[in-house]
Amino acid sequence: MISVEAKKRKDACMTRIFVAGAAFAVILLIAFVLYVVIDGVSGMTGKMLSFGPQGLGNMFFNTIYLVFLALVASTITGIPAGIFLAEYAKKGRLTHWVRMAVETLASLPSIVVGLFGYLVFIVMTGSQWNLFAGALAVSILTLPLVTSVTEDALRNLPSSYRNGSLGLGASHWQTIWRVLLPACFPRIMTGLIMAAGRGFGEAAALMFTAGMSTDINWTNWDITSTSCPLNPFRPGETLALNIWALRTEALQVDAAQQAAASSAILMIMVLSFSLAARYLSYRIDKKMGGNK
Amino acid sequence: MKAIDTVVRKAHRNEKAARTFITICGIGMALVPLLIGAFLFIKGTDTFFTFGHSVTEFLFSGQWKPSDTAEGGGQVGAAMFLTGSLVTCALALLISLPFSMASSIYMTEIATPQRRRLIQPAIELFTGIPSVVYGFVGMTVLIPALRKLFPMPFGFSVLAAGIVLAIMIFPTITTMAADAMAAVPKSWREASYGLGATRWETIAHVVLPAAKSGIFTGIILGLARALGEALAVAMVIGQMKVFPTSLFLPASTLTTAISADMGGAMEGGEYNAALWTMALVLFLLSFLFIFIIHQINAASELKGGRN
Amino acid sequence: MAEMTKTLTGFAAAEIEKKQGAVRAQEQAVAQEAAGTAEYTFDVTDMDLFYGDFQALNSISMKIKKHEITALIGPSGCGKSTFLKTLNRMNDWVEGCRVTGKILFEGKDIFKEVDPLALRYRVGMVFQQPTPFPKSIYENIAYGPRIQGIKDKKKLDEIVEKSLRQAACWDEMKDRLQKSALGLSGGQQQRLCIARTLAADPSVILMDEPTSALDPISTQKIEDLALELKENYTIVIVTHSMQQARRISDKTAFFLLGELIEFNNTLDMFTNPSNPKTEEYITGRFG
């Protein structure tokens, strides 16, 4: 028989261990963010932030543009796929397979996806490294997220929306299109913002697809020209790729500061997007909760 | 009446069109990983079929001298990369797991609800931080620090890779474990306290066993992430093509080898093929992880555990 | 199509008859019965319903009369809701649900001669929980007409106003048509749903325990509404409350374990039930 005293002592001891472990981890993470942001921001210069060949502006633009294209691509395939899983798929082998595919896709190493993108979008089409190929590679990575967010959003809707619409003689598709999708629009938006946050930081999938150079002429608006900012078929180095390139190749004198600044910008972008997504879903939950 | 007839017919027509489109998208989605697998298989098996190497050589030999030509004739033993990957992952898990468990237990069992509401989203935010940023901080902060603390020549080392990966997978494991523990019914805990158990006894004998499958799922997901991570590891491991013999020396992993050499290897050459084979191994491993997670979940459902 | 048009004119005719006096109306009804169609909105013959292997309804035959309120009562799980949902084929959406037998709606077999969507245009449904969409009040009401292809804004406006007036909601909702329907109280939401059903221009309204989620005052309003609507619509209502069945229905059907035990005039059924099981149930000995 263990004495009550010993039990209590052990309990207190374990509690202290857990608190210490958690505190250490949280402090480390916070220090990490602060370090990246402060280190990056303090080393920033005006030149670095410019949209010229020396600045990060072009890469910033490339990052946004690439993620935008990627999201468009994964939206037009991912949302229908999510609708399929939530609404049209019957229980059975096929559905099981699709679900398994979503999970596999979600856990694929991004470098594998990058290689696949390189093979299919670059080698097989015989093209140069380009933004569009990079966007497609990233869209493969964000596809499972968009799909599962759509599916969950549809599944979590109250069944009364469905019943009310079907009872009025709407077809299944009319119900989905006119009632269910509008109702889960905010949730899908939240998912897209989350996906964007993930896309910003992606580098491994872009190494062999989007290319490691960028050459934008901001006065050139001829979409077919390779220096037009909006031409997706031009090489487009992103911020994340830039960090990778600077650290391993270090061609420039201020490489360290540039990488630090890129990290800080990237970190701020990712965190603000995740926070925005969280805030949005918090608002939705609150709104939904108030009406049940 | 005629109007109604037209409307109904149109509704049915749209229904059919929409259903077809949606189903195609759904099945198309399922084809993407299949397609990726198929391409990796075609490219990756060149090593064995075109260049005549055996699977045993690839997996277990340490001789890595693939020739960068279409004729082949080199040696493609990738064992050092495989062990490099496994060792760094294991190390990452070893470092990360105690902190993950402590944090998730703290969040679900010890912290006040308000504090939990603050900490858990904060930790979840870290799952989204780009891996290159982890790698960058690893290079600028961790490497010099390690060089000072330990007797190591470069700082770039297996240990550094393990630490960076540990920080990367910490949020994944912690969130999954915390969710699993939070899903354990409150009444079970109350029953345990009611029998005079202390908090630690309740955690050890009630909460952890009940949340086991969720925690394992989190660990596997973390492992999958660590195994697939390329750039953050490449930035701190030193990329030396040797077996990971010491924690303090550089080594290579599957992903770092691919990211370093794929750009330079000739399309259609033996070197290129060997790198594709490594990608195939990565693909198969991540498939294996998913399979394991399914097995865990199926087992826990059979036992009628948490649901 | 031609036949359906005939039925419609039949309705219109019956409407006029009503105003011309009860005697003539009765004559007309007799004549129509001879013709074999329009007096009964639904004519169910020998209907069985299965969920997979489980038989939920067993050989139901029942004629539901036009412009009457028919109440379906019975203990939970007796199949009354299932029966109701078969009348506008809402059960089609339930996986593994199978129906055999024949159901005529206005003389036509709903499984063979009527499109399920068109059937639901004519046979509206009000659910146990209010089912407002997360849209404005206006858009909620306009949903049915829009589904039926009405795009003209003016016409939609008219329909919205008319339906809200019919459902006795116009005065309290006319100033907030563009506000979300989710902001209404439970009772208002349920009346909104009735208005939404009316806007789709049905001839029948099925109500599945429409007041079970509501407070007594809202319940009272819905019951009054049902009695008013009876003038122009056939109403079938599933209810848990025998008092409610007694208060508003003309006919009552008692279901037990998937069988129709007794179907009779409400007054007769509650004062003098012919089946001992019915008596046991309505006197509260079980259920």
Side-chain angles (χ1 to χ4, degrees):
Chain A
M1 192 72 202
I2 318 163
S3 78
V4 176
E5 282 305 307
K7 276 174 74 166
K8 273 191 177 159
R9 228 175 300 130
K10 191 166 182 199
D11 183 52
C13 172
M14 291 312 286
T15 303
R16 241 169 275 139
I17 290 176
F18 293 139
V19 174
F24 177 75
V26 170
I27 289 169
L28 189 73
L29 290 178
I30 292 171
F32 182 86
V33 173
L34 288 181
Y35 171 77
V36 171
V37 173
I38 292 170
D39 186 43
V41 172
S42 65
M44 274 183 201
T45 58
K47 199 177 99 196
M48 220 182 265
L49 296 178
S50 72
F51 282 82
Q54 300 291 311
L56 299 171
N58 289 347
M59 289 157 196
F60 178 74
F61 173 75
N62 283 342
T63 308
I64 304 237
Y65 192 34
L66 185 138
V67 167
F68 171 74
L69 291 176
L71 284 187
V72 170
S74 52
T75 302
I76 52 183
T77 48
I79 292 182
I83 297 175
F84 174 75
L85 282 174
E87 295 291 326
Y88 282 107
K90 299 202 174 62
K91 266 188 199 148
R93 191 142 286 200
L94 178 72
T95 313
H96 183 73
W97 259 104
V98 176
R99 210 165 297 252
M100 194 87 169
V102 177
E103 280 172 44
T104 311
L105 218 47
S107 75
L108 274 190
S110 57
I111 189 149
V112 170
V113 174
L115 282 184
F116 172 76
Y118 168 66
L119 184 67
V120 174
F121 308 131
I122 304 289
V123 177
M124 285 171 64
T125 59
S127 44
Q128 280 298 312
W129 283 335
N130 64 67
L131 248 175
F132 192 67
L136 288 180
V138 171
S139 79
I140 293 178
L141 290 169
T142 48
L143 189 56
L145 183 70
V146 175
T147 304
S148 48
V149 163
T150 308
E151 186 191 351
D152 289 346
L154 283 168
R155 281 189 192 282
N156 283 331
L157 290 178
S159 62
S160 65
Y161 294 174
R162 197 179 315 262
N163 284 339
S165 173
L166 293 176
L168 285 166
S171 69
H172 195 177
W173 175 245
Q174 283 168 329
T175 303
I176 295 170
W177 183 249
R178 289 167 182 247
V179 179
L180 304 185
L181 275 185
C184 56
F185 177 74
R187 266 187 209 287
I188 295 178
M189 262 326 274
T190 311
L192 285 179
I193 295 174
M194 259 155 68
R198 201 162 295 180
F200 288 144
E202 189 47 53
L206 298 175
M207 279 166 67
F208 307 119
T209 49
M212 304 276 246
S213 63
T214 186
D215 175 29
I216 296 180
N217 180 353
W218 285 96
T219 54
N220 184 350
W221 293 102
D222 171 15
I223 194 93
T224 55
S225 155
T226 51
S227 63
C228 170
L230 288 179
N231 179 4
F233 296 101
R234 61 175 170 85
E237 185 176 26
T238 64
L239 282 173
L241 266 181
N242 185 41
I243 299 171
W244 163 250
L246 283 173
R247 293 313 295 177
T248 50
E249 288 161 20
L251 300 171
Q252 280 144 308
V253 253
D254 62 344
Q257 286 95 311
Q258 275 220 32
S262 301
S263 299
I265 296 172
L266 209 52
M267 183 81 107
I268 292 168
M269 277 166 84
V270 169
L271 287 185
S272 51
F273 267 65
S274 322
L275 281 174
R278 279 196 166 274
Y279 179 69
L280 240 171
S281 72
Y282 164 77
R283 284 282 303 274
I284 298 165
D285 284 344
K286 216 171 143 190
K287 212 170 127 201
M288 293 296 211
N291 284 305
K292 260 183 191 151
Chain B
M1 274 298 103
K2 190 131 208 157
I4 291 297
D5 213 30
T6 332
V7 166
V8 168
R9 216 174 302 142
K10 195 174 152 211
H12 282 297
R13 210 171 44 232
N14 289 347
E15 172 73 32
K16 207 176 265 175
R19 195 206 316 255
T20 313
F21 172 69
I22 296 284
T23 311
I24 288 173
C25 280
I27 295 174
M29 160 107 219
L31 289 182
V32 174
L34 222 63
L35 210 65
I36 295 177
F39 272 110
L40 287 171
F41 193 78
I42 293 168
K43 295 288 279 182
T45 49
D46 272 354
T47 309
F48 311 121
F49 298 139
T50 314
F51 299 103
H53 298 286
S54 69
V55 179
T56 347
E57 182 194 344
F58 182 80
L59 290 180
F60 301 113
S61 157
Q63 298 299 314
W64 175 256
K65 283 195 204 88
S67 82
D68 196 12
T69 60
E71 283 81 48
Q75 289 163 308
V76 295
M80 61 176 91
F81 305 119
L82 264 171
T83 31
S85 281
L86 297 181
V87 168
T88 45
C89 284
L91 193 61
L93 190 62
L94 212 66
I95 300 170
S96 172
L97 198 55
F99 292 105
S100 291
M101 292 315 291
S103 307
S104 47
I105 290 174
Y106 171 75
M107 277 195 295
T108 51
E109 309 298 320
I110 299 172
T112 55
Q114 293 92 325
R115 215 170 273 178
R116 183 183 175 194
R117 266 205 297 277
L118 199 71
I119 295 176
Q120 181 148 10
I123 287 184
E124 278 170 23
L125 277 185
F126 283 91
T127 48
I129 289 182
S131 57
V132 278
V133 174
Y134 283 110
F136 169 70
V137 176
M139 275 181 100
T140 50
V141 181
L142 183 66
I143 301 280
L146 283 178
R147 210 160 29 202
K148 255 183 225 147
L149 283 173
F150 298 104
M152 48 171 67
F154 315 106
F156 295 96
S157 58
V158 175
L159 181 63
I163 294 174
V164 167
L165 284 178
I167 298 174
M168 280 183 67
I169 64 176
F170 167 79
T172 310
I173 302 181
T174 307
T175 354
M176 288 293 296
D179 285 345
M181 289 179 205
V184 176
K186 213 175 162 201
S187 55
W188 295 13
R189 290 190 186 94
E190 278 158 7
S192 170
Y193 287 131
L195 292 170
T198 60
R199 177 153 64 192
W200 162 242
E201 284 164 335
T202 306
I203 293 169
H205 300 296
V206 177
V207 178
L208 288 184
K212 205 170 54 190
S213 73
I215 296 172
F216 273 124
T217 307
I219 290 175
I220 304 278
L221 281 179
L223 272 181
R225 186 160 185 214
L227 186 83
E229 181 47 47
L231 302 188
V233 182
M235 284 158 112
V236 296
I237 200 171
Q239 305 207 50
M240 217 136 71
K241 291 193 176 92
V242 291
F243 273 96
T245 45
S246 157
L247 283 182
F248 303 132
L249 288 175
S252 270
T253 68
L254 290 172
T255 51
T256 63
I258 296 173
S259 57
D261 297 338
M262 189 57 109
M266 191 193 83
E267 187 62 34
E270 187 183 47
Y271 207 124
N272 188 278
L275 293 174
W276 277 102
T277 314
M278 295 208 254
L280 176 63
V281 171
L282 282 175
F283 178 81
L284 292 178
L285 282 175
S286 62
F287 204 78
L288 179 75
F289 284 140
I290 293 296
F291 183 75
I292 294 174
I293 290 175
H294 269 249
Q295 292 303 311
I296 294 173
N297 288 343
S300 79
E301 259 165 45
L302 269 185
K303 275 193 297 186
R306 64 179 195 100
N307 212 337
Chain C
M1 260 314 74
E3 243 184 80
M4 214 163 181
T5 323
K6 214 191 295 167
T7 337
L8 253 206
T9 34
F11 278 147
E15 215 102 296
I16 299 161
E17 300 306 332
K18 228 178 181 93
K19 283 174 196 150
Q20 288 180 346
V23 186
R24 276 215 53 194
Q26 215 159 17
E27 277 173 19
Q28 182 75 16
V30 171
Q32 270 170 347
E33 192 170 24
T37 48
E39 191 198 359
Y40 295 110
T41 304
F42 283 106
D43 185 350
V44 183
T45 337
D46 207 15
M47 185 191 97
D48 293 323
L49 184 141
F50 303 86
Y51 290 125
D53 293 334
F54 172 72
Q55 182 161 9
L57 289 173
N58 196 351
S59 185
I60 310 288
S61 295
M62 187 171 172
K63 288 184 178 183
I64 294 171
K65 215 170 174 187
K66 197 167 129 187
H67 296 183
E68 275 191 350
I69 297 181
T70 305
L72 312 179
I73 61 169
S76 2
C78 66
K80 56 191 191 299
S81 278
T82 306
F83 175 75
L84 189 79
K85 283 184 181 134
T86 314
L87 294 180
N88 72 344
R89 291 188 61 180
M90 277 297 275
N91 277 331
D92 287 13
W93 301 103
V94 181
E95 233 171 285
C97 179
R98 204 157 44 80
V99 184
T100 61
K102 201 157 146 192
I103 301 178
L104 298 183
F105 167 62
E106 294 175 352
K108 293 178 140 199
D109 189 329
I110 65 165
F111 295 110
K112 294 194 183 110
E113 293 171 277
V114 191
D115 183 275
L117 300 185
L119 173 71
R120 291 184 206 117
Y121 296 166
R122 307 283 294 137
V123 184
M125 185 150 203
V126 177
F127 296 84
Q128 184 170 1
Q129 294 288 335
T131 58
F133 303 138
K135 298 171 182 282
S136 68
I137 293 174
Y138 181 94
E139 283 302 321
N140 263 280
I141 308 286
Y143 185 78
R146 278 191 209 276
I147 288 292
Q148 296 178 22
I150 296 174
K151 293 198 182 88
D152 183 11
K153 176 88 175 89
K154 234 179 167 171
K155 199 157 178 203
L156 286 174
D157 287 347
E158 268 169 39
I159 295 176
V160 170
E161 180 172 347
K162 185 170 154 245
S163 319
L164 281 173
R165 278 188 196 283
Q166 266 183 301
C169 305
W170 177 248
D171 291 332
E172 52 192 307
M173 292 185 199
K174 66 174 182 243
D175 296 325
R176 46 196 293 200
L177 286 179
Q178 297 309 326
K179 295 255 170 66
S180 169
L182 298 182
L184 298 171
S185 73
Q188 286 175 320
Q189 285 186 358
Q190 195 62 298
R191 275 179 291 134
L192 175 82
C193 289
I194 294 175
R196 192 176 65 188
T197 308
L198 295 176
D201 193 26
S203 65
V204 184
I205 302 169
L206 307 177
M207 296 184 173
D208 189 359
E209 300 187 27
T211 59
S212 69
L214 303 181
D215 59 276
I217 294 170
S218 302
T219 302
Q220 168 86 47
K221 281 187 182 166
I222 303 264
E223 285 181 8
D224 292 347
L225 187 56
L227 286 170
E228 233 167 81
L229 291 173
K230 182 175 108 161
E231 298 281 311
N232 299 309
Y233 302 88
T234 308
I235 294 175
V236 185
I237 181 169
V238 166
T239 176
H240 249 121
S241 142
M242 274 168 286
Q243 285 73 24
Q244 186 169 61
R246 215 167 179 163
R247 280 194 298 264
I248 63 173
S249 72
D250 301 295
K251 296 253 167 61
T252 299
F254 172 58
F255 282 77
L256 187 63
L257 296 172
E259 295 194 37
L260 176 58
I261 303 293
E262 190 170 346
F263 179 41
N264 207 343
N265 288 327
T266 301
L267 205 63
D268 294 339
M269 182 131 147
F270 279 96
T271 48
N272 189 18
S274 59
N275 191 305
K277 283 181 194 158
T278 316
E279 188 174 1
E280 274 179 40
Y281 182 70
I282 58 177
T283 51
R285 243 171 277 167
F286 75 94

